Amino acid sequence: MKINSQNNTNFQAYKIARVTTELKGRGVSDIEICRLTRDDRTFLNKLEKQIDYTKLFPKLTAALQRRWQKVLTYCIACAHDPDNKSYIALHKGKPCGIMTYTEDSSFYLEGLCAIPQEKNKKVPFTGDTLLYQLFRDAFAYGASDIKLKAVTDGPFDVVKKYESRGFKKNPASVQYTEMRCNKHKIKEQLEEFPFTLEYEELEPENIKLDNTLD
């Protein structure tokens, strides 16, 4: 754990990027990306207890609320694994999304979950912002592909979203939709993403994520 010698404040995550997306007729959306470290266990536990999709998305059916909550719980459980690489997206200083994956010659996206900040409303482009970070990491690592298993009974059509970002479905999938994006598509998507968002890489800055929770 890193300690600030001046004020003895404990720091955990690293803020690494700021992403700005122009929303037609709706201004600009700013999202900051923070890379989680092993010292963020307390934050993750607090986040899981604080987020309640029955309150955040009352318009959804109880079944869809439970599914979304389950996805978040799974993402947080995977983010606790020291072998995973995980990120938190922040909007106006508050969490709006989480992503976690394993990296090897082939990347595997364990989970990506939006965290609404307002009732019945997600922060626009949270998913795209985190996916862009995933593509950047996979390209820099030289990964052969990115794989994932998409839920088909969630509140949103994530399979369609992943298809729009170069992923192809495995027709043999059963419970989940297995999908894959090869290295050529990874490079292609990195060239296409900047047309909808502006990525500013930051000098890694330690931040205390506990301060982003109410």
Side-chain angles (χ1 to χ4, degrees):
M1 181 177 292
K2 295 182 179 295
I3 304 295
N4 184 305
S5 60
Q6 293 184 338
N7 57 21
N8 203 37
T9 300
N10 293 335
F11 290 97
Q12 289 100 36
Y14 287 94
K15 185 186 297 182
I16 63 163
R18 180 179 296 110
V19 180
T20 305
T21 306
E22 190 77 31
L23 303 176
K24 195 171 184 180
R26 296 168 58 191
V28 176
S29 174
D30 289 310
I31 293 176
E32 294 177 321
I33 300 176
C34 301
R35 186 175 68 242
L36 297 176
T37 73
R38 295 183 181 183
D39 296 317
D40 288 302
R41 292 182 293 274
T42 300
F43 162 76
L44 289 169
N45 290 334
K46 288 181 180 179
L47 180 68
E48 183 174 9
K49 292 178 181 178
Q50 179 174 302
I51 302 303
D52 183 348
Y53 288 96
T54 62
K55 296 177 180 178
L56 289 171
F57 252 88
K59 286 185 178 180
L60 294 177
T61 65
L64 290 177
Q65 290 168 347
R66 287 194 299 270
R67 164 51 81 180
W68 203 345
Q69 196 78 46
K70 187 176 180 180
V71 171
L72 176 67
T73 298
Y74 181 74
C75 283
I76 290 175
C78 291
H80 275 294
D81 189 333
D83 291 331
N84 276 34
K85 194 166 185 179
S86 306
Y87 294 96
I88 285 287
L90 302 178
H91 175 67
K92 295 183 178 180
K94 300 294 181 182
C96 63
I98 183 172
M99 178 180 71
T100 181
Y101 68 86
T102 57
E103 61 179 11
D104 205 331
S105 56
S106 178
F107 273 34
Y108 183 77
L109 177 59
E110 294 273 13
L112 192 162
C113 185
I115 302 171
Q117 293 183 343
E118 298 179 45
K119 191 175 291 187
N120 296 312
K121 185 180 179 182
K122 297 187 300 178
V123 174
F125 295 101
T126 297
D128 273 334
T129 299
L130 289 170
L131 271 179
Y132 184 69
Q133 184 65 51
L134 176 65
F135 279 112
R136 283 178 63 94
D137 289 356
F139 182 75
Y141 193 92
S144 60
D145 57 10
I146 303 172
K147 296 177 180 178
L148 60 86
K149 290 182 180 179
V151 297
T152 55
D153 58 348
F156 307 101
D157 189 349
V158 294
V159 172
K160 185 176 181 181
K161 164 61 75 173
Y162 288 131
E163 284 183 319
S164 73
R165 290 307 181 195
F167 286 85
K168 301 296 183 184
K169 293 187 291 187
N170 176 356
S173 302
V174 183
Q175 184 176 3
Y176 297 92
T177 300
E178 297 177 359
M179 306 184 76
R180 175 178 179 269
C181 182
N182 64 43
K183 65 187 304 179
H184 303 295
K185 281 291 183 180
I186 291 172
K187 184 175 186 298
E188 180 181 297
Q189 287 300 311
L190 281 173
E191 294 170 351
E192 292 182 2
F193 261 103
F195 289 102
T196 58
L197 58 84
E198 180 180 333
Y199 185 99
E200 177 188 359
E201 190 170 356
L202 304 176
E203 188 69 29
E205 172 192 353
N206 278 123
I207 68 167
K208 186 174 175 61
L209 282 175
D210 282 2
N211 294 336
T212 69
L213 300 175
D214 297 328

